[in-house]
Amino acid sequence: MIQRDATMYVILLGPPGAGKGTQAVQTAAATGLLHLSTGDMFREHLRNGTDLGNLAKTYMDRGELVPDDVTIRMLLERIGRTDAQAGCLFDGFPRTVEQARALDEALSAQNDEIAVTVLIDVSNEEITRRLGGRVSCAACGSVFHNIFNPPDESSPCCDTVNMIQRDDDKPEAIANRLQVYADQTEPLVAYYRDAGKLSTVNGEQPPAAVGAELLAALEAVSG
Ligand code: AP5
Ligand code: MG
């Protein structure tokens, strides 16, 4: 486990399919940071049949962003809970400049700030390959790829028969998510670079090598 200050807020930034979720699970285990994925939070709301989940689905299925007001309210409520006070690893949030400003303000109000934003850099061609083959375990939610990271046939939980595909991993939704990323989320690269808080890792390497670069970026800013 890396040495770090008591509190550390880290953002994983990158296009859909860059490997934010894959890396967040490993990095959270290595650092003790709480992994917060707004996409996972919306999908959990949907499984629980809440109004928020049903609203989010109408946007997610098309590859559109859920409106800022709803997303920001959900995230700020979550980081206000006790288990988030030692820091968080944000995966898929912020995705707009408005969300980034809201997060900065909320952290500043508790005398905290983002330590670093790590951009996982991957080309559009590679993303299309990854999302087309992504599957996840219906029982535990672990994420696999049919070719790059196949399901575990020896596991009673994560074997091939238990795998499901996300509704937004269909070709039309993937194309729209990439466009939405370019239009609404990519401006955050300049936002965090201008703030002196951007670090970039090469996402087109095996997951373990990406993870090693990511941990090095966190170590560089941990006290
Ligand atoms: P979200 O769930 O965040 O989806 P996303 O950003 O589109 O990102 P993904 O989860 O698709 O990709 P990932 O980067 O996590 O990659 P993964 O590790 O799975 O959001 C879904 C939707 O929710 C949004 O479209 C929006 O509607 C809504 N939403 C969420 N947050 C929002 C917000 N803040 N504001 C508004 N709306 C919001 O990896 C992908 C695949 O590649 C996997 O199969 C994996 O096994 C494989 N893989 C990973 N790493 C590697 C590697 N190094 N080499 C080869 N394969 C790899
Ligand atoms: Mg994800």
Side-chain angles (χ1 to χ4, degrees), residues 20-21 37 40 43 91 134 166:
K20 301 182 298 293
S37 155
D40 288 350
R43 284 184 287 275
D91 157 11
R134 174 168 60 186
R166 264 170 51 175

Side-chain angles (χ1 to χ4, degrees), residues 177-191:
R177 282 158 69 202
L178 288 173
Q179 191 59 49
V180 166
Y181 177 79
D183 293 343
Q184 299 188 57
T185 306
E186 217 163 19
L188 294 181
V189 174
Y191 180 94

Side-chain angles (χ1 to χ4, degrees), residues 22-23 26-27 148 202-216:
T22 301
Q23 293 301 329
Q26 312 299 330
T27 309
F148 305 140
N202 174 9
E204 293 197 22
Q205 315 176 75
V210 180
E213 273 195 35
L214 180 47
L215 276 184

Side-chain angles (χ1 to χ4, degrees), residues 24-178:
V25 171
Q26 312 299 330
T27 309
T31 58
L33 292 171
L34 177 70
H35 172 199
L36 287 185
S37 155
T38 38
D40 288 350
M41 290 164 80
F42 287 134
R43 284 184 287 275
E44 188 179 347
H45 271 281
L46 183 61
R47 277 194 298 279
N48 294 334
T50 69
D51 290 346
L52 175 56
N54 291 326
L55 173 79
K57 181 177 166 53
T58 62
Y59 295 92
M60 293 170 81
D61 282 353
R62 295 197 305 267
E64 303 286 341
L65 295 185
V66 179
D68 278 338
D69 58 343
V70 176
T71 306
I72 290 168
R73 201 176 318 126
M74 175 179 77
L75 193 279
L76 295 190
E77 184 279 324
R78 185 65 189 86
I79 65 172
R81 292 195 220 160
T82 315
D83 62 349
Q85 298 311 302
C88 303
L89 184 57
F90 297 109
D91 157 11
F93 185 96
R95 262 175 147 96
T96 64
V97 171
E98 191 172 333
Q99 292 180 15
R101 290 203 180 112
L103 180 58
D104 280 346
E105 278 169 26
L107 293 181
S108 162
Q110 58 185 49
N111 286 324
D112 282 313
E113 61 178 339
I114 295 298
V116 65
T117 296
V118 182
L119 172 66
I120 305 180
D121 196 20
V122 178
S123 66
N124 279 6
E125 296 72 33
E126 174 67 11
I127 281 162
T128 308
R129 270 195 293 276
R130 287 187 188 177
L131 293 183
R134 174 168 60 186
V135 287
S136 58
C137 177
C140 74
S142 295
V143 175
F144 296 88
H145 188 283
N146 284 330
I147 297 163
F148 305 140
N149 178 22
D152 181 0
E153 297 311 335
S154 64
S155 156
C157 175
C158 301
D159 61 358
T160 303
V161 290
N162 255 347
M163 292 294 138
I164 51 171
Q165 190 180 33
R166 264 170 51 175
D167 284 341
D168 60 351
D169 279 347
K170 306 214 166 86
E172 325 77 71
I174 291 175
N176 200 31
R177 282 158 69 202
L178 288 173

